[in-house]
């Protein structure tokens, strides 16, 4: 299994509830949303084959990072914008929005591909 980082971006992240999610990632998203009171949080979003990890720039506040399993990602979308774009990452019960500049389209596709790969049983032994 590979934990190597495939890519990372600096930006701001916001977690919104969209329904009842039952995955481990949805539990982590609920906790993150409660800790940060539904506000945009600056930090770094990192992608590996297995996880999408957000490390807040204010990590010293002991609120900690957010880690989602790529297998729990049900959709990825990209918002409009010239300089700043928003990547939307959906799970069963949440929408995670990540605002960043430059390369958002490519990073969104990398997230979508990692999610597809994580759900493909034929690729599971290669990750």
């Amino acid at each position: 299994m590979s934990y190597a980082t495939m890519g990372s971006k600096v930006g701001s992240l916001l977690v919104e509830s969209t329904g009842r999610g039952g995955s481990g990632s949805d539990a982590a998203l609920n906790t993150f949303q409660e800790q940060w009171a539904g506000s945009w949080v600056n930090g770094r979003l990192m992608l590996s084959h297995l996880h999408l990890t957000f490390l807040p720039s204010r990590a010293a506040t002991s609120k900690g990072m957010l880690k989602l399993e790529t297998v729990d990602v049900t959709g990825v979308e990209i918002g409009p914008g010239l300089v700043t774009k928003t990547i939307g990452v959906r799970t069963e019960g949440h929408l995670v929005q990540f605002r960043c500049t430059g390369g958002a389209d490519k990073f969104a596709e990398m997230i979508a591909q990692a999610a597809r790969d994580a759900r493909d049983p034929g690729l599971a032994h290669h990750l």
Side-chain angles (χ1 to χ4, degrees):
M1 298 205 168
S2 173
Y3 291 100
T5 301
M6 298 166 50
S8 71
K9 300 282 300 164
V10 172
S12 300
L13 185 128
L14 175 70
V15 175
E16 297 178 26
S17 295
T18 60
R20 297 177 102 183
S23 71
S25 292
D26 283 311
L29 286 163
N30 285 333
T31 300
F32 187 87
Q33 191 175 21
E34 290 170 13
Q35 289 174 332
W36 292 98
S39 60
W40 287 94
V41 180
N42 294 325
R44 178 172 293 277
L45 187 64
M46 298 169 283
L47 174 66
S48 73
H49 289 286
L50 301 175
H51 297 103
L52 189 58
T53 305
F54 181 74
L55 182 61
S57 57
R58 298 184 292 179
T61 63
S62 75
K63 291 185 181 181
M65 66 180 178
L66 171 65
K67 186 178 279 191
L68 308 177
E69 295 183 31
T70 54
V71 71
D72 292 336
V73 173
T74 60
V76 178
E77 53 210 46
I78 189 82
L82 296 176
V83 177
T84 301
K85 291 189 178 185
T86 301
I87 300 170
V89 177
R90 292 192 180 273
T91 66
E92 190 176 314
H94 291 86
L95 171 62
V96 177
Q97 296 187 66
F98 183 71
R99 282 193 307 219
C100 60
T101 57
D105 296 314
K106 182 178 177 184
F107 197 61
E109 180 52 41
M110 290 171 64
I111 296 168
Q113 185 62 52
R116 287 189 295 268
D117 291 349
R119 288 188 299 274
D120 185 343
L123 292 177
H125 69 282
H126 292 293
L127 298 179

